[in-house]
Structure formats: C-alpha cells, structure tokens
Amino acid sequence: MTTAEIQALDRQFVWHPFTHMKLWLADDPLVITHGEGAYVFDSDGRKYFDGTASLWCNVHGHRVPKIDAAIRDQLAKIGHTTLLGLTNEPAAKLAERLVQIAPSGLKKVFFSDSGATATEAAFKMAAQYWWNLGRPEKCEFVGLTEAYHGDTVGAMSVGRTTAFHKPYWPMLFKTHFAPAPIEYRAGLHARVCDDALLGLRAILEKHANTIAAICIEPKVMGAAGMIVQPEGYLAGVRALADEFNVLLIADEVATGFGRTGAMFACDLEEVAPDLLCLGKGITGGYLPLAATLTTQKIFDAFLGEPWEGKTFFHGHTYTGNPLACVAALASLDLFAENDLLNHVRETASAFSLDLATLKDCPVVGDIRQCRFMVGVELVADPETARPFDPRLRVGAAVCQRLRARGILVRPLGDTIVINPPLITTAEEWRMVISALRIELDKITPDAGVAERGDEQIAGDY
Ligand code: PLP
C-alpha cells in the first residue's frame, strides 16, 4: 500500500487513543513501517528516534533478535491458550521469574493484559481481601491528586486526572485523595514530603476503618508530568499503611522494568508493597501483558471452600498469553545479559548535567528526572510557575518541531516527556537534549510558539 492509501484508510476508519481527532483528520499522519534498535522508520523511509519508547514500554529497542526468536519458537507451538482451567509453561515460568525479582514478600502472580487491568485487578483483590476476612466495610481507596492508573472505571476512580477524566467523574466510585508531593507546579498541591505525608495521615486517622488500600505510583508520577517524589516519601507511605492497617498498592506500570535504574521503583527505597501492578515494559515492549503480584497472606484469604464465595472472580481472555510470556522471559534474560540496569544508571548520570543546562532557557520552569524518566516543564514565567495559555499548545508545538528533526516525543500538557528505550546511549540523550534546546530557545515566554497549523498531530497527551 502507498502512504497515501494507508493514511486514507486510517482517516476513514481509525479512532486514535488520547487524540484530538479533529486535528488528526486535518493532517497527514505519520505511518510507521518498521523499527530497529531505538529508532522507528516511516513509510517514506525517514528515521526517528523513539523518544517515547513507543509509549513508555520499549526496553531493548525494536527487532531484538532474542525476543523475535522466542516469539517465533512459541508460534510454532501455540499462539494462545487460556489460563482459565488450564496452564502453560511460559506463564508458569514467567510467574516464577517475576516473584524472584519482585520486592520481597510478593509470591503470587495474576496475569492480565494492560496497565489498567493490572490496577483494576489490584483494587478488586484489595477490596475482596477485606471482604473475605469479614471486613466488607474496608472497600474504599486512597489515591494521590493527579495520579494516573489507567482508563478503566476503577483505575479512573483512584487516579483521577483532571486533564483526562473529568467527563467521567460522576460515574466513578468514592476515593480519598491525599496531596501528591509535588515540589514545583503551581496550581496543584505544591507541598513537599512532610506535608504530603501529613495529608495522608489525616485521611487515615479519619477513615482507615473503611479504607482497603492506598494506591500510589512509587517514586515517579508519570502521567502527572514525570513528578519525581522526594526521598523518603515512598517509605513514609509504607509506614503509614502499616500503622493504619491498610494495604499498599504500588502501580509500577510506568516505573517498572528498569526505567528508574532499579528493576522496580520500590527497590529504590527498599519498600515492599502488598500488591504490585506491572505492565508496559514487562514484554520488552513487544506484546500486551500485565501482572498483579501479591503476598501469600492476601492470596491465602481467597482460599475458602468453593461455596463460601471467596474466589477471585476476575479474568481476561488473553490472561497469561504464551506469546507475551515468552517475550517477557526473553526480555528478563536480556536485562541480565546486557547489565541493563547498570547501563541505565551510568547513562543517566552521564547526561543529567546536559539536561540541567536546559534550565537556562527562559521558558523552562522545572526539569524532573528519575534516571530514564524525564519531564521538562515549559511555563510562561519560571519564577512564578505561571503556565502558558493552554490554547497555545506550546508543548504540542515543540514536539511537532522535534519530529521534523527526527525525534518522536509527546507532551503531557506543556511538559515535554522523554522516556526512550533503555538501550539509549548518552550520545543519543545528548542529541535529543540539544535538539530540544534549539527549539526551546525559539520560544518567547509571552508569545509562546504555536503558529496555526504547527501543532497538528501531536495532540496534548
Ligand atoms: N498506571 C500507570 C502508572 C501508567 O502510567 C499507565 C499508562 O500510562 C497505566 C497504569 C495504564 O496502562 P495501560 O495504558 O497499559 O492500560
């Protein structure tokens, strides 16, 4: 098919996720045909650096021989078989491997197929855990302001992002919102560690009797704009959960599998959650797979007699899909073979000074980095953190211009997010940072950059 034919088909039939379809339809979409390492190629043969890691999930790059081969070998056996009433070797092996690398105490793995299903399963497990123990009133949750846990109803209820989910608020279940420890952004709850923990404590003091669990994105709140939590916050949340007898759910869909330089962000503060949600990078970014890990104690609470109704009646058709599981196993092998966590740590230290120089740009308000998770927040006035008029769509315009320079990144509002494959080298990071600097230097704080027509395609999120 020609590029024009694919674009025409797309325009006619496809509704894109998180996309302003009016803008989309007014432009020619980029058609990606193949990838290699940290790059993808369009239908005209142009090469782009995959600065979003294909939406925060690619780990070892594209077309990785070992993962390709694992999937091909599995295809010669079976593409899909269910975990409802049956099992298969890749799923069983992967569950063992995940338990081996997860924070201590997590012993059981429940598979699903996306980040949202991993968190949804965690919420239901937490609520039913208390129900099974004869405490049905403990069915509410604590989330953080501006957290994001996915787009299903439970996930939206606990991660109530203003930008994404406002139309659905009336249909969401009751959740208590603790202030997120956001150090910079005006307009949000700009409190630091102690205040945030005090806010959480206040909720627990009043409502612990009806709360099943606290859910947080440990260390980095990705979709909120790569908000990096202050040191000690995560451990503080764990301590409060213990003190008030509520479970802790760690949503590591974005942070898991090496992005923070540790296998899991919880490892950075030696925190073991009661439930751990994994997705995105679990298959190296190849196939949809997710997992919710939990403790023996929680699992055991579901072991009543069949007629007691304590079973976890939850599941998805593609749960434990063997193709996805072999991709995940190969990906885990590659972490060890390539000493990837070390690469992430060393590379991140190598480019962080370069990143910090962006602070000189007159529209850079805040630079947030946790190893390979980077957010550069653009504001009209860095002193007061006054944001740009959202109608200017400054972040989207900058990303559009970077695309012309062969770099794919997406904004979260006016925060430019750089979250590339973990194999990215320091030189590639520097290439992205210097291209970003060139574009940022063109922006005037008062006028912004948005020339009409300039902001097409990228969308705001
Ligand atoms: N949780 C977190 C922390 C995320 O960042 C995301 C996606 O960005 C999700 C959950 C939802 O994952 P998915 O898009 O695979 O449903």
Side-chain angles (χ1 to χ4, degrees):
M1 283 177 90
T2 65
T3 301
E5 284 168 343
I6 300 167
Q7 289 168 334
L9 267 189
D10 179 283
R11 270 198 214 95
Q12 196 176 349
F13 295 112
V14 184
W15 188 340
H16 286 259
F18 279 97
T19 301
H20 295 277
M21 290 308 292
K22 190 174 167 191
L23 291 179
W24 179 270
L25 292 172
D27 210 329
D28 289 332
L30 197 61
V31 178
I32 298 301
T33 54
H34 61 287
E36 189 68 57
Y39 296 85
V40 294
F41 296 81
D42 75 8
S43 47
D44 295 323
R46 275 190 297 262
K47 180 178 175 181
Y48 299 88
F49 177 70
D50 188 0
T52 71
S54 297
L55 217 61
W56 312 358
C57 67
N58 189 282
V59 175
H60 312 282
H62 299 279
R63 294 184 59 213
V64 182
K66 186 166 183 137
I67 304 180
D68 292 357
I71 294 171
R72 260 192 240 108
D73 289 352
Q74 180 58 39
L75 268 177
K77 297 174 188 160
I78 190 167
H80 179 62
T81 162
T82 181
L83 281 193
L84 274 72
L86 302 171
T87 192
N88 65 75
E89 182 178 329
K93 272 189 170 164
L94 180 60
E96 180 192 33
R97 288 284 289 280
L98 291 175
V99 166
Q100 283 166 352
I101 59 171
S104 65
L106 296 167
K107 299 289 183 210
K108 298 285 174 182
V109 179
F110 186 90
F111 288 112
S112 60
D113 45 36
S114 74
T117 59
T119 54
E120 204 79 32
F123 301 140
K124 286 178 68 176
M125 269 181 200
Q128 194 178 340
Y129 166 74
W130 293 111
W131 192 91
N132 286 354
L133 293 187
R135 301 281 312 271
E137 72 285 2
K138 274 174 87 68
C139 60
E140 295 168 2
F141 293 87
V142 184
L144 296 192
T145 49
E146 295 302 317
Y148 179 76
H149 301 299
D151 297 324
T152 52
V153 172
M156 287 192 297
S157 298
V158 181
R160 209 163 299 189
T161 311
T162 318
F164 303 160
H165 296 147
K166 218 168 177 178
Y168 318 109
W169 284 2
M171 66 194 254
L172 304 182
F173 60 67
K174 175 178 171 181
T175 297
H176 304 271
F177 287 101
I182 298 172
E183 289 175 305
Y184 174 73
R185 278 204 280 175
L188 299 177
H189 299 268
R191 304 176 196 179
V192 283
C193 192
D194 290 351
D195 282 352
L197 289 173
L198 280 176
L200 177 58
R201 170 179 286 282
I203 291 171
L204 294 171
E205 276 170 353
K206 219 166 158 193
H207 302 286
N209 278 342
T210 56
I211 287 171
I214 305 165
C215 179
I216 64 164
E217 296 160 81
K219 294 306 275 183
V220 186
M221 295 172 68
M226 296 293 141
I227 306 294
V228 181
Q229 295 159 358
E231 197 62 37
Y233 174 74
L234 175 59
V237 173
R238 173 73 270 184
L240 285 172
D242 289 341
E243 184 181 335
F244 288 93
N245 194 26
V246 301
L247 302 175
L248 177 62
I249 301 172
D251 175 358
E252 293 232 27
V253 170
T255 51
F257 298 100
R259 211 146 266 289
T260 67
M263 189 54 94
F264 301 110
C266 281
D267 299 338
L268 296 172
E269 293 199 11
E270 292 177 9
V271 160
D274 301 293
L275 293 131
L276 176 70
C277 307
L278 304 175
K280 290 194 184 286
I282 188 170
T283 59
Y286 265 65
L287 287 163
L289 181 72
T292 307
L293 275 66
T294 193
T295 59
Q296 190 70 46
K297 185 171 109 178
I298 291 178
F299 178 80
D300 286 348
F302 289 74
L303 297 184
E305 298 303 328
W307 52 88
E308 286 183 274
K310 291 185 174 177
T311 304
F312 189 48
F313 285 113
H314 181 98
H316 301 279
T317 303
Y318 288 101
T319 294
N321 173 267
L323 290 173
C325 290
V326 295
L329 285 163
S331 171
L332 288 177
D333 288 345
L334 287 170
F335 267 96
E337 285 166 25
N338 298 334
D339 199 7
L340 198 57
L341 297 180
N342 208 25
H343 165 81
V344 169
R345 288 190 289 264
E346 284 179 358
T347 306
S349 331
F351 74 77
S352 62
L353 283 180
D354 301 83
L355 186 67
T357 62
L358 291 177
K359 199 81 178 87
D360 306 338
C361 300
V363 293
V364 170
D366 197 20
I367 298 170
R368 297 183 280 270
Q369 182 195 4
C370 184
R371 303 274 175 43
F372 268 39
M373 300 182 85
V374 167
V376 179
E377 181 167 346
L378 312 181
V379 291
D381 181 356
E383 288 302 309
T384 61
R386 180 168 59 84
F388 281 109
D389 179 341
R391 284 168 301 188
L392 292 171
R393 306 184 68 236
V394 172
V398 169
C399 291
Q400 189 61 14
R401 289 174 171 199
L402 286 172
R403 178 178 293 194
R405 294 179 173 277
I407 296 165
L408 298 181
V409 284
R410 283 175 69 84
L412 282 160
D414 287 335
T415 296
I416 309 298
V417 172
I418 315 170
N419 225 351
L422 301 191
I423 51 156
T424 299
T425 63
E427 290 68 42
E428 287 166 328
W429 271 100
R430 289 195 185 103
M431 176 271 292
V432 175
I433 292 163
S434 55
L436 181 57
R437 164 172 283 278
I438 292 169
E439 292 308 333
L440 295 184
D441 281 343
K442 292 179 187 165
I443 309 175
T444 53
D446 46 350
V449 275
E451 297 151 11
R452 296 317 306 165
D454 193 25
E455 71 279 352
Q456 308 285 307
I457 303 178
D460 288 301
Y461 298 100

